[in-house]
Amino acid sequence: MMDKTLPQFGLRDSMEYDVVIVGGGPAGLSAAIRLKQMAASEGTEISVCVLEKGSEIGAHILSGAVMDPIAMTELFPDWKSRGAPLNVDVTEDRFLFLTEKKAYRAPNRLLPECFQNHGNYVVSLGKVARWLGTQAEELGVEIFAGFPAAEVLYNDDGSVKGVATGNMGVNKQGEATANFQPGMELHAKYTLFAEGARGHLGKQLIDRFELAKDRDAQTYAIGIKELWEIDPKMHQPGLVIHTAGWPLDSDTYGGSFLYHLDNNQVAVGYVVGLAYQNPYLSPFEEFQRYKTHPEIRKFFVGGRRLSYGARAIAAGGLQSLPKLVFPGGALIGCDAGFLNASRIKGSHAAIKSGMLAAEAVFDALRVNRQGDELAAYAAAFKASWLHEELHRARNFKPWMAKGLGIGTLMVGIDQLVLRGKAPWTLRHRHADHECLKPANTCTPIVYPKPDGKLTFDRLSSVFISNTNHEENQPVHLALKSWTVPVDVNLAKYAGPEQRYCPAGVYEFVRADDGREQLQINAQNCLHCKTCDIKDPTQNIVWVTPEGSGGPCYPGM
């Protein structure tokens, strides 16, 4: 069926489904699975399609990760016998406060519940997503990997009609090449958006339907991760280490994770809140510096780095959640912002939100509804354990934003004494891009050069992320104005994009006439979305590149 004319490229085919899901991560796949489970239990048929922008399911999935199995158990009570890759039980928790040379371990009896991981599993979330993809396909879900949803489609009444995938074979000038293939329209009775944090289409929907009205600004962090194979003598399967403090100053939110998987592998990473103020700060360099701490580097001596990646994390919590529903669809997973920052966990929340949305969709389809608001989804969330968990954690991020000392004390009181039931809710007053101070009011940070054994540069890191984009395509990091990077960002903030990007995408170079200009190395992009979030003038807009572009994380 061909029903829409694109003046530039001609006609676009369309396909009809009951439900289209944008994003093949834990939220999207769990929604698809739950829809099919409910249909099977009632002996009915429901057509479900999942679009995934990565080259395969799991290719773009990046997380620590320690996984709470509560939602997985609800989705598949028999997940163990089905072979779900939750194989490494957490055996020990350590929380360390770091100074430059010392580490002080917090007694486990004083750790709030959010830092205790008994009963959880150290996992590769990419492997979990691949397993969920297999379960979904066995239930009859149609999965199209390598086809990013690039555009939201609307009905005449303004409700969401579905999405369109991006065109392929368009050159840098926006012209069709010999390899041109037009995008496909996918129409649905309901469309669920599960793109992850700072979703490209989710952001548009939040603006169009004013879903963030009367909500706090969403606040984000960037998580940078490496996967290592280490000396077996230093490996302890199930060991979970978190740190706070050095190398960040006490006023900057952040910390690390070091998780021991199986096969002598460890996942090590660093999280930096994107509300930081000093434009000279580089989250990537802070991560590299962290690994040199005496208590941390000992794990990596004689080891080998296997993979690298980065991803933004939606950390605002309950008070930053947008309205979840709009005519014709809903936001699920990190596209809405369900991550629990206090636990550094979002996968269980993503799975649960996907299930809740799926149940609301199924009940609507059962009575022949379509294109309306799924009020039952929002109501079910408010009645769920997920809402209760996020309510307990709601003050964690605002307290920690006040500095490590005050934050640690107040989080302890909030979680240990008040059990998350304080009669107040702290607010997020500012979006992350509003927080940078002018460079002339800040102290430059001099970072040590990488040694190539423990610490590395950006380009060698991007290489092992397996990132690739077709070079002759429109740059997917769009600028609203080409003058702002030099006239504002460089002049006022010393060009922070060359430091907050963990992949070397942005460089300031001198043109032939001697003037500075911004060079965008889009091929390096890890799809972390940090630039879209942190750019002080919101001049950078991340849009979907051609299908299958981006990183390919085999074990992350």
Side-chain angles (χ1 to χ4, degrees):
M1 174 177 168
M2 307 182 87
D3 66 349
K4 184 169 183 178
T5 298
L6 298 177
Q8 190 176 8
F9 298 120
L11 297 176
R12 201 157 60 180
D13 289 347
S14 69
M15 299 175 67
E16 302 284 339
Y17 290 92
D18 291 315
V19 184
V20 167
I21 300 172
V22 180
L29 292 170
S30 297
I33 288 167
R34 188 70 186 123
L35 282 163
K36 284 292 190 177
Q37 286 175 336
M38 296 181 76
S41 69
E42 296 202 1
T44 61
E45 288 291 332
I46 183 172
S47 57
V48 182
C49 166
V50 173
L51 290 176
E52 165 54 39
K53 68 182 176 68
S55 58
E56 62 180 10
I57 292 293
H60 290 179
I61 296 293
L62 182 78
S63 181
V66 171
M67 187 173 187
D68 184 336
I70 180 173
M72 180 68 82
T73 301
E74 291 181 356
L75 185 64
F76 287 115
D78 58 344
W79 59 262
K80 285 189 178 181
S81 62
R82 286 175 173 264
L86 282 69
N87 304 315
V88 182
D89 299 74
V90 173
T91 57
E92 181 184 351
D93 276 303
R94 297 179 194 170
F95 195 100
L96 307 176
F97 289 93
L98 303 184
T99 64
E100 187 171 358
K101 299 296 183 183
K102 300 289 186 179
Y104 300 93
R105 181 173 177 178
N108 278 26
R109 68 180 182 278
L110 297 181
L111 287 179
E113 184 180 351
C114 57
F115 293 124
Q116 298 183 20
N117 287 287
H118 178 75
N120 298 329
Y121 295 84
V122 183
V123 302
S124 159
L125 195 60
K127 291 180 181 178
V128 172
R130 290 182 179 92
W131 180 82
L132 286 171
T134 299
Q135 304 304 307
E137 288 182 319
E138 289 177 356
L139 288 167
V141 176
E142 294 184 37
I143 298 177
F144 299 120
F147 291 92
E151 177 188 352
V152 181
L153 304 175
Y154 298 95
N155 292 302
D156 291 341
D157 64 1
S159 63
V160 170
K161 182 179 183 179
V163 294
T165 63
N167 297 320
M168 300 180 69
V170 178
N171 65 21
K172 288 184 177 180
Q173 289 72 42
E175 303 164 340
T177 69
N179 298 320
F180 175 76
Q181 294 180 0
M184 173 77 71
E185 294 195 2
L186 295 103
H187 302 164
K189 297 171 182 175
Y190 293 100
T191 307
L192 302 180
F193 292 83
E195 305 164 283
R198 193 71 166 196
H200 167 56
L201 300 182
K203 187 173 75 166
Q204 296 177 27
L205 291 163
I206 289 171
D207 289 344
R208 181 183 180 100
F209 292 108
E210 298 183 326
L211 304 180
K213 185 179 181 181
D214 301 324
R215 266 67 168 185
D216 286 6
Q218 183 60 269
T219 183
Y220 297 87
I222 178 174
I224 304 175
K225 175 183 174 181
E226 293 174 350
L227 184 67
W228 282 68
E229 182 180 14
I230 65 169
D231 185 336
K233 295 177 182 177
M234 297 303 298
H235 187 249
Q236 180 183 327
L239 173 61
V240 168
I241 300 175
H242 293 107
T243 77
W246 189 87
L248 292 176
D249 63 49
S250 61
D251 292 329
T252 303
Y253 172 81
S256 80
F257 60 86
L258 198 159
Y259 302 153
H260 288 235
L261 297 131
D262 49 7
N263 301 318
N264 300 318
Q265 292 185 357
V266 298
V268 58
Y270 210 73
V271 175
V272 177
L274 290 178
Y276 67 82
Q277 297 180 335
N278 188 342
Y280 293 108
L281 187 146
S282 165
F284 175 87
E285 300 290 357
E286 296 292 342
F287 172 41
Q288 299 305 315
R289 190 159 60 150
Y290 151 78
K291 288 184 293 176
T292 67
H293 191 279
E295 189 66 23
I296 304 302
R297 72 178 302 141
K298 65 184 183 182
F299 289 104
F300 300 104
V301 174
R304 180 170 65 98
R305 191 172 67 146
L306 304 176
S307 190
Y308 166 84
R311 187 69 174 92
I313 300 166
L318 191 63
Q319 52 269 57
S320 296
L321 279 181
K323 182 181 177 182
L324 301 176
V325 296
F326 44 85
L331 301 174
I332 61 177
C334 287
D335 220 347
F338 282 109
L339 179 132
N340 182 340
S342 74
R343 302 182 71 193
I344 325 177
K345 291 180 178 62
S347 55
H348 70 301
I351 292 171
K352 181 63 173 179
S353 68
M355 293 173 66
L356 292 172
E359 289 162 3
V361 168
F362 187 81
D363 288 344
L365 294 176
R366 177 193 278 153
V367 293
N368 297 316
R369 285 167 45 202
Q370 67 179 69
D372 58 358
E373 287 197 4
L374 295 162
Y377 166 41
F381 163 63
K382 288 184 179 179
S384 71
W385 56 256
L386 178 56
H387 186 278
E388 181 182 350
E389 177 183 319
L390 293 179
H391 186 265
R392 289 198 307 269
R394 71 195 184 283
N395 288 326
F396 172 83
K397 183 63 165 53
W399 278 131
M400 294 306 299
K402 296 182 183 297
L404 182 59
I406 293 175
T408 300
L409 174 64
M410 295 309 299
V411 166
I413 293 172
D414 186 274
Q415 295 296 309
L416 291 173
V417 179
L418 301 176
R419 303 292 181 182
K421 297 179 180 179
W424 57 78
T425 296
L426 302 181
R427 318 308 309 187
H428 303 294
R429 300 297 182 189
H430 301 285
D432 295 330
H433 72 271
E434 299 172 332
C435 295
L436 279 184
K437 292 182 176 179
N440 62 11
T441 68
C442 298
T443 302
I445 303 173
V446 179
Y447 293 105
K449 292 183 179 180
D451 62 17
K453 297 179 181 179
L454 178 64
T455 60
F456 303 89
D457 62 19
R458 284 173 171 80
L459 294 185
S460 64
S461 299
V462 171
F463 179 77
I464 61 170
S465 71
N466 303 305
T467 295
N468 184 58
H469 294 87
E470 167 59 47
E471 290 193 25
N472 189 23
Q473 64 172 301
V475 173
H476 68 278
L477 301 154
L479 299 183
K480 297 176 184 176
S481 166
W482 276 96
T483 63
V484 163
V486 172
D487 293 349
V488 179
N489 288 10
L490 186 60
K492 185 175 181 180
Y493 301 106
E497 51 268 72
Q498 59 195 331
R499 286 178 289 276
Y500 60 58
C501 174
V505 170
Y506 301 99
E507 292 182 85
F508 284 94
V509 298
R510 289 197 179 276
D512 293 340
D513 61 6
R515 296 181 182 179
E516 294 274 8
Q517 65 179 25
L518 181 67
Q519 177 174 295
I520 299 178
N521 306 307
Q523 295 91 338
N524 291 359
C525 181
L526 297 171
H527 299 195
C528 74
K529 312 291 183 65
T530 302
C531 57
D532 192 284
I533 297 164
K534 187 61 176 174
D535 180 49
T537 60
Q538 292 294 275
N539 187 51
I540 300 172
V541 181
W542 192 97
V543 299
T544 51
E546 191 170 291
S548 298
C552 185
Y553 300 133
M556 301 281 265

PDB file of all heavy atoms in Angstrom, residues 100-120:
ATOM      1  N   GLU A 100      42.425  11.025  46.818  1.00  0.00           N
ATOM      2  CA  GLU A 100      43.357  10.771  45.721  1.00  0.00           C
ATOM      3  C   GLU A 100      44.201   9.519  45.953  1.00  0.00           C
ATOM      4  O   GLU A 100      44.520   8.802  44.999  1.00  0.00           O
ATOM      5  CB  GLU A 100      44.269  11.982  45.509  1.00  0.00           C
ATOM      6  CG  GLU A 100      45.153  11.847  44.271  1.00  0.00           C
ATOM      7  CD  GLU A 100      45.891  13.123  43.943  1.00  0.00           C
ATOM      8  OE1 GLU A 100      45.696  14.136  44.643  1.00  0.00           O
ATOM      9  OE2 GLU A 100      46.666  13.109  42.970  1.00  0.00           O
ATOM     10  N   LYS A 101      44.545   9.229  47.197  1.00  0.00           N
ATOM     11  CA  LYS A 101      45.436   8.094  47.473  1.00  0.00           C
ATOM     12  C   LYS A 101      44.803   7.010  48.338  1.00  0.00           C
ATOM     13  O   LYS A 101      45.310   5.901  48.396  1.00  0.00           O
ATOM     14  CB  LYS A 101      46.697   8.597  48.179  1.00  0.00           C
ATOM     15  CG  LYS A 101      47.518   9.601  47.365  1.00  0.00           C
ATOM     16  CD  LYS A 101      48.072   8.980  46.091  1.00  0.00           C
ATOM     17  CE  LYS A 101      48.952   9.985  45.335  1.00  0.00           C
ATOM     18  NZ  LYS A 101      49.450   9.425  44.054  1.00  0.00           N
ATOM     19  N   LYS A 102      43.708   7.331  49.012  1.00  0.00           N
ATOM     20  CA  LYS A 102      43.129   6.404  49.971  1.00  0.00           C
ATOM     21  C   LYS A 102      41.709   6.010  49.591  1.00  0.00           C
ATOM     22  O   LYS A 102      41.040   6.696  48.821  1.00  0.00           O
ATOM     23  CB  LYS A 102      43.102   7.036  51.367  1.00  0.00           C
ATOM     24  CG  LYS A 102      44.472   7.416  51.927  1.00  0.00           C
ATOM     25  CD  LYS A 102      45.277   6.184  52.306  1.00  0.00           C
ATOM     26  CE  LYS A 102      46.579   6.597  52.988  1.00  0.00           C
ATOM     27  NZ  LYS A 102      47.373   5.419  53.404  1.00  0.00           N
ATOM     28  N   ALA A 103      41.260   4.893  50.157  1.00  0.00           N
ATOM     29  CA  ALA A 103      39.888   4.429  49.992  1.00  0.00           C
ATOM     30  C   ALA A 103      39.338   4.065  51.361  1.00  0.00           C
ATOM     31  O   ALA A 103      39.993   3.339  52.125  1.00  0.00           O
ATOM     32  CB  ALA A 103      39.838   3.223  49.065  1.00  0.00           C
ATOM     33  N   TYR A 104      38.147   4.566  51.678  1.00  0.00           N
ATOM     34  CA  TYR A 104      37.515   4.301  52.957  1.00  0.00           C
ATOM     35  C   TYR A 104      36.216   3.553  52.706  1.00  0.00           C
ATOM     36  O   TYR A 104      35.300   4.073  52.063  1.00  0.00           O
ATOM     37  CB  TYR A 104      37.255   5.604  53.702  1.00  0.00           C
ATOM     38  CG  TYR A 104      38.530   6.375  53.983  1.00  0.00           C
ATOM     39  CD1 TYR A 104      38.979   7.352  53.088  1.00  0.00           C
ATOM     40  CD2 TYR A 104      39.293   6.113  55.119  1.00  0.00           C
ATOM     41  CE1 TYR A 104      40.155   8.055  53.327  1.00  0.00           C
ATOM     42  CE2 TYR A 104      40.464   6.811  55.369  1.00  0.00           C
ATOM     43  CZ  TYR A 104      40.891   7.775  54.467  1.00  0.00           C
ATOM     44  OH  TYR A 104      42.058   8.460  54.699  1.00  0.00           O
ATOM     45  N   ARG A 105      36.152   2.337  53.220  1.00  0.00           N
ATOM     46  CA  ARG A 105      34.990   1.500  52.958  1.00  0.00           C
ATOM     47  C   ARG A 105      33.888   1.786  53.967  1.00  0.00           C
ATOM     48  O   ARG A 105      34.119   1.814  55.186  1.00  0.00           O
ATOM     49  CB  ARG A 105      35.372   0.020  53.019  1.00  0.00           C
ATOM     50  CG  ARG A 105      34.204  -0.919  52.723  1.00  0.00           C
ATOM     51  CD  ARG A 105      34.661  -2.359  52.621  1.00  0.00           C
ATOM     52  NE  ARG A 105      33.532  -3.247  52.406  1.00  0.00           N
ATOM     53  CZ  ARG A 105      33.618  -4.569  52.232  1.00  0.00           C
ATOM     54  NH1 ARG A 105      34.838  -5.129  52.242  1.00  0.00           N
ATOM     55  NH2 ARG A 105      32.544  -5.300  52.055  1.00  0.00           N
ATOM     56  N   ALA A 106      32.690   1.998  53.468  1.00  0.00           N
ATOM     57  CA  ALA A 106      31.534   2.191  54.339  1.00  0.00           C
ATOM     58  C   ALA A 106      31.089   0.831  54.880  1.00  0.00           C
ATOM     59  O   ALA A 106      30.985  -0.139  54.118  1.00  0.00           O
ATOM     60  CB  ALA A 106      30.392   2.835  53.569  1.00  0.00           C
ATOM     61  N   PRO A 107      30.847   0.729  56.188  1.00  0.00           N
ATOM     62  CA  PRO A 107      30.349  -0.544  56.737  1.00  0.00           C
ATOM     63  C   PRO A 107      29.030  -0.939  56.072  1.00  0.00           C
ATOM     64  O   PRO A 107      28.128  -0.107  55.926  1.00  0.00           O
ATOM     65  CB  PRO A 107      30.137  -0.226  58.228  1.00  0.00           C
ATOM     66  CG  PRO A 107      31.018   0.954  58.500  1.00  0.00           C
ATOM     67  CD  PRO A 107      31.017   1.761  57.228  1.00  0.00           C
ATOM     68  N   ASN A 108      28.930  -2.192  55.683  1.00  0.00           N
ATOM     69  CA  ASN A 108      27.727  -2.632  54.964  1.00  0.00           C
ATOM     70  C   ASN A 108      26.457  -2.443  55.788  1.00  0.00           C
ATOM     71  O   ASN A 108      25.380  -2.202  55.232  1.00  0.00           O
ATOM     72  CB  ASN A 108      27.878  -4.095  54.542  1.00  0.00           C
ATOM     73  CG  ASN A 108      28.693  -4.235  53.268  1.00  0.00           C
ATOM     74  OD1 ASN A 108      29.529  -3.378  52.962  1.00  0.00           O
ATOM     75  ND2 ASN A 108      28.470  -5.304  52.528  1.00  0.00           N
ATOM     76  N   ARG A 109      26.586  -2.525  57.121  1.00  0.00           N
ATOM     77  CA  ARG A 109      25.386  -2.360  57.952  1.00  0.00           C
ATOM     78  C   ARG A 109      24.848  -0.941  57.902  1.00  0.00           C
ATOM     79  O   ARG A 109      23.683  -0.702  58.261  1.00  0.00           O
ATOM     80  CB  ARG A 109      25.711  -2.752  59.394  1.00  0.00           C
ATOM     81  CG  ARG A 109      26.671  -1.816  60.109  1.00  0.00           C
ATOM     82  CD  ARG A 109      26.946  -2.270  61.538  1.00  0.00           C
ATOM     83  NE  ARG A 109      27.833  -1.349  62.240  1.00  0.00           N
ATOM     84  CZ  ARG A 109      29.150  -1.360  62.134  1.00  0.00           C
ATOM     85  NH1 ARG A 109      29.745  -2.259  61.346  1.00  0.00           N
ATOM     86  NH2 ARG A 109      29.894  -0.494  62.801  1.00  0.00           N
ATOM     87  N   LEU A 110      25.695   0.009  57.442  1.00  0.00           N
ATOM     88  CA  LEU A 110      25.261   1.396  57.343  1.00  0.00           C
ATOM     89  C   LEU A 110      24.827   1.778  55.931  1.00  0.00           C
ATOM     90  O   LEU A 110      24.403   2.917  55.702  1.00  0.00           O
ATOM     91  CB  LEU A 110      26.382   2.338  57.802  1.00  0.00           C
ATOM     92  CG  LEU A 110      26.809   2.214  59.271  1.00  0.00           C
ATOM     93  CD1 LEU A 110      27.906   3.214  59.584  1.00  0.00           C
ATOM     94  CD2 LEU A 110      25.611   2.409  60.207  1.00  0.00           C
ATOM     95  N   LEU A 111      24.929   0.847  55.010  1.00  0.00           N
ATOM     96  CA  LEU A 111      24.533   1.152  53.633  1.00  0.00           C
ATOM     97  C   LEU A 111      23.016   1.172  53.518  1.00  0.00           C
ATOM     98  O   LEU A 111      22.342   0.232  53.981  1.00  0.00           O
ATOM     99  CB  LEU A 111      25.100   0.115  52.663  1.00  0.00           C
ATOM    100  CG  LEU A 111      26.595   0.157  52.376  1.00  0.00           C
ATOM    101  CD1 LEU A 111      26.968  -0.971  51.406  1.00  0.00           C
ATOM    102  CD2 LEU A 111      27.017   1.504  51.806  1.00  0.00           C
ATOM    103  N   PRO A 112      22.444   2.211  52.901  1.00  0.00           N
ATOM    104  CA  PRO A 112      21.007   2.186  52.623  1.00  0.00           C
ATOM    105  C   PRO A 112      20.653   0.995  51.738  1.00  0.00           C
ATOM    106  O   PRO A 112      21.503   0.441  51.020  1.00  0.00           O
ATOM    107  CB  PRO A 112      20.767   3.506  51.890  1.00  0.00           C
ATOM    108  CG  PRO A 112      21.911   4.386  52.275  1.00  0.00           C
ATOM    109  CD  PRO A 112      23.079   3.458  52.455  1.00  0.00           C
ATOM    110  N   GLU A 113      19.407   0.613  51.775  1.00  0.00           N
ATOM    111  CA  GLU A 113      18.949  -0.541  51.004  1.00  0.00           C
ATOM    112  C   GLU A 113      19.264  -0.397  49.518  1.00  0.00           C
ATOM    113  O   GLU A 113      19.535  -1.387  48.828  1.00  0.00           O
ATOM    114  CB  GLU A 113      17.444  -0.724  51.210  1.00  0.00           C
ATOM    115  CG  GLU A 113      16.862  -1.949  50.539  1.00  0.00           C
ATOM    116  CD  GLU A 113      15.370  -2.084  50.769  1.00  0.00           C
ATOM    117  OE1 GLU A 113      14.827  -1.319  51.593  1.00  0.00           O
ATOM    118  OE2 GLU A 113      14.749  -2.942  50.125  1.00  0.00           O
ATOM    119  N   CYS A 114      19.259   0.842  49.007  1.00  0.00           N
ATOM    120  CA  CYS A 114      19.484   1.045  47.575  1.00  0.00           C
ATOM    121  C   CYS A 114      20.887   0.631  47.143  1.00  0.00           C
ATOM    122  O   CYS A 114      21.130   0.398  45.953  1.00  0.00           O
ATOM    123  CB  CYS A 114      19.213   2.499  47.185  1.00  0.00           C
ATOM    124  SG  CYS A 114      20.195   3.720  48.080  1.00  0.00           S
ATOM    125  N   PHE A 115      21.842   0.541  48.078  1.00  0.00           N
ATOM    126  CA  PHE A 115      23.202   0.127  47.751  1.00  0.00           C
ATOM    127  C   PHE A 115      23.476  -1.331  48.105  1.00  0.00           C
ATOM    128  O   PHE A 115      24.616  -1.773  48.058  1.00  0.00           O
ATOM    129  CB  PHE A 115      24.219   1.026  48.461  1.00  0.00           C
ATOM    130  CG  PHE A 115      24.225   2.441  47.971  1.00  0.00           C
ATOM    131  CD1 PHE A 115      24.028   3.493  48.846  1.00  0.00           C
ATOM    132  CD2 PHE A 115      24.414   2.724  46.622  1.00  0.00           C
ATOM    133  CE1 PHE A 115      24.030   4.807  48.400  1.00  0.00           C
ATOM    134  CE2 PHE A 115      24.416   4.030  46.172  1.00  0.00           C
ATOM    135  CZ  PHE A 115      24.219   5.076  47.053  1.00  0.00           C
ATOM    136  N   GLN A 116      22.442  -2.065  48.465  1.00  0.00           N
ATOM    137  CA  GLN A 116      22.607  -3.475  48.807  1.00  0.00           C
ATOM    138  C   GLN A 116      22.013  -4.319  47.691  1.00  0.00           C
ATOM    139  O   GLN A 116      20.874  -4.117  47.286  1.00  0.00           O
ATOM    140  CB  GLN A 116      21.935  -3.777  50.143  1.00  0.00           C
ATOM    141  CG  GLN A 116      22.552  -2.990  51.302  1.00  0.00           C
ATOM    142  CD  GLN A 116      21.941  -3.329  52.639  1.00  0.00           C
ATOM    143  OE1 GLN A 116      21.331  -4.381  52.802  1.00  0.00           O
ATOM    144  NE2 GLN A 116      22.100  -2.437  53.614  1.00  0.00           N
ATOM    145  N   ASN A 117      22.781  -5.273  47.219  1.00  0.00           N
ATOM    146  CA  ASN A 117      22.413  -5.990  45.992  1.00  0.00           C
ATOM    147  C   ASN A 117      22.215  -7.488  46.178  1.00  0.00           C
ATOM    148  O   ASN A 117      22.247  -8.243  45.205  1.00  0.00           O
ATOM    149  CB  ASN A 117      23.473  -5.740  44.920  1.00  0.00           C
ATOM    150  CG  ASN A 117      23.398  -4.335  44.365  1.00  0.00           C
ATOM    151  OD1 ASN A 117      22.491  -3.999  43.620  1.00  0.00           O
ATOM    152  ND2 ASN A 117      24.351  -3.492  44.762  1.00  0.00           N
ATOM    153  N   HIS A 118      22.020  -7.928  47.419  1.00  0.00           N
ATOM    154  CA  HIS A 118      21.731  -9.342  47.650  1.00  0.00           C
ATOM    155  C   HIS A 118      20.476  -9.742  46.859  1.00  0.00           C
ATOM    156  O   HIS A 118      19.454  -9.051  46.896  1.00  0.00           O
ATOM    157  CB  HIS A 118      21.508  -9.617  49.135  1.00  0.00           C
ATOM    158  CG  HIS A 118      21.152 -11.042  49.431  1.00  0.00           C
ATOM    159  ND1 HIS A 118      22.081 -12.065  49.401  1.00  0.00           N
ATOM    160  CD2 HIS A 118      19.956 -11.627  49.732  1.00  0.00           C
ATOM    161  CE1 HIS A 118      21.479 -13.209  49.686  1.00  0.00           C
ATOM    162  NE2 HIS A 118      20.183 -12.968  49.890  1.00  0.00           N
ATOM    163  N   GLY A 119      20.567 -10.825  46.122  1.00  0.00           N
ATOM    164  CA  GLY A 119      19.437 -11.288  45.320  1.00  0.00           C
ATOM    165  C   GLY A 119      19.418 -10.755  43.908  1.00  0.00           C
ATOM    166  O   GLY A 119      18.562 -11.148  43.104  1.00  0.00           O
ATOM    167  N   ASN A 120      20.368  -9.863  43.579  1.00  0.00           N
ATOM    168  CA  ASN A 120      20.468  -9.327  42.226  1.00  0.00           C
ATOM    169  C   ASN A 120      21.554 -10.067  41.436  1.00  0.00           C
ATOM    170  O   ASN A 120      22.275 -10.902  41.978  1.00  0.00           O
ATOM    171  CB  ASN A 120      20.766  -7.826  42.272  1.00  0.00           C
ATOM    172  CG  ASN A 120      19.652  -7.042  42.947  1.00  0.00           C
ATOM    173  OD1 ASN A 120      18.489  -7.422  42.884  1.00  0.00           O
ATOM    174  ND2 ASN A 120      20.009  -5.946  43.608  1.00  0.00           N
TER     175      ASN A 120
END
